[in-house]
Amino acid sequence: MGRRARLFVVSGPAGVGKGTLVSLVREARPSIGVTVSATTRTPRPGEVEGVSYYYMSDEEFERRVAAGEFLEWAQVHDHRYGTLKSEVERFLAKGNSVILEIDVQGGDNVRRVFPDAVRIFVEPPSWEVLVERLRGRGTESEASLKLRLKNARRELDYAHTYDVRIVNDDLDEAVEKLMQTLEKYENE
Ligand code: ADP
Ligand code: 5GP
């Protein structure tokens, strides 16, 4: 039996380590696709258009929503974020699995339009560790940090609705668990 290309959703609160985990999995498995999302937020220093996100004005985002170009989108932390259908299709069409790193509302929407999606939730070992990581990343202003932590509490309540939960404590162990999860569902 060959591997089946699957759509994976990875969610979890800001600062839990989703980006870190996904980029390490990608190094080990370069064929796996990771979609670049569209957002109306402004780029952080070091972020690159078309690599980190597709940065869009509210007007352009709205136009693309109306044109049916999004697989899912949601309002997160005061801005809109969404996955373009074209992003997902470019990987699945080549027979490669694809990972969507999206918030819990997006995760819920994907379940509706793509019931075959495998939804993975990344959890912190504790609340204190989450706060430390988000602060330690040094990317957020105090206001942005507060907003992300407030939303994090709500996001954690969704963990039980996901197919798989991974605690990101030891990084190597969490990467291993994520790799095993991808393989398990691809070979299902
Ligand atoms: P997210 O994408 O979920 O917002 P990041 O991948 O940016 O989170 O990680 C947030 C911070 O936590 C980063 O500084 C990252 O280096 C660090 N980090 C991620 N995973 C771990 C881990 N298992 N142990 C310690 N630090 C981690
Ligand atoms: P950040 O601004 O820190 O890059 O991302 C904030 C949040 O937006 C994260 O929780 C991330 O998972 C979520 N997000 C990023 N891209 C998308 C997307 O395409 N759709 C949805 N629904 N959420 C997204």
Side-chain angles (χ1 to χ4, degrees), residues 8-43:
F8 296 95
V9 167
V10 173
S11 301
V16 74
K18 302 179 295 296
T20 305
L21 287 171
V22 168
S23 73
L24 288 170
V25 162
R26 191 117 186 261
E27 273 175 30
R29 280 264 316 263
S31 66
I32 201 150
V34 180
T35 53
V36 176
S37 295
T39 183
T40 61
R41 84 152 162 76
T42 51

Side-chain angles (χ1 to χ4, degrees), residues 10-18 76-77 102-105 119-134 147-168:
V10 173
S11 301
V16 74
K18 302 179 295 296
V76 192
H77 314 315
I102 60 177
D103 91 308
V104 293
Q105 305 166 74
R119 297 158 65 255
I120 302 164
F121 194 90
V122 183
E123 295 177 276
S126 69
W127 179 256
E128 290 69 28
V129 167
L130 180 67
V131 178
E132 231 169 70
R133 283 187 193 161
L134 197 53
L147 180 62
R148 279 170 164 68
L149 289 174
K150 190 175 132 214
N151 290 340
R153 292 211 181 270
R154 257 203 335 250
E155 299 223 24
L156 289 169
D157 290 340
Y158 277 78
H160 73 278
T161 70
Y162 277 68
D163 301 307
V164 178
R165 295 163 75 161
I166 296 178
V167 177
N168 181 21

Side-chain angles (χ1 to χ4, degrees), residues 102-119:
I102 60 177
D103 91 308
V104 293
Q105 305 166 74
D108 239 8
N109 292 336
V110 168
R111 181 166 52 167
R112 269 178 233 120
V113 293
F114 224 106
D116 202 35
V118 181
R119 297 158 65 255

Side-chain angles (χ1 to χ4, degrees), residues 87-106:
E87 278 293 302
V88 174
E89 278 155 15
R90 80 186 159 101
F91 296 109
L92 292 182
K94 281 193 258 164
N96 291 324
S97 289
V98 62
I99 299 178
L100 276 62
E101 197 195 310
I102 60 177
D103 91 308
V104 293
Q105 305 166 74

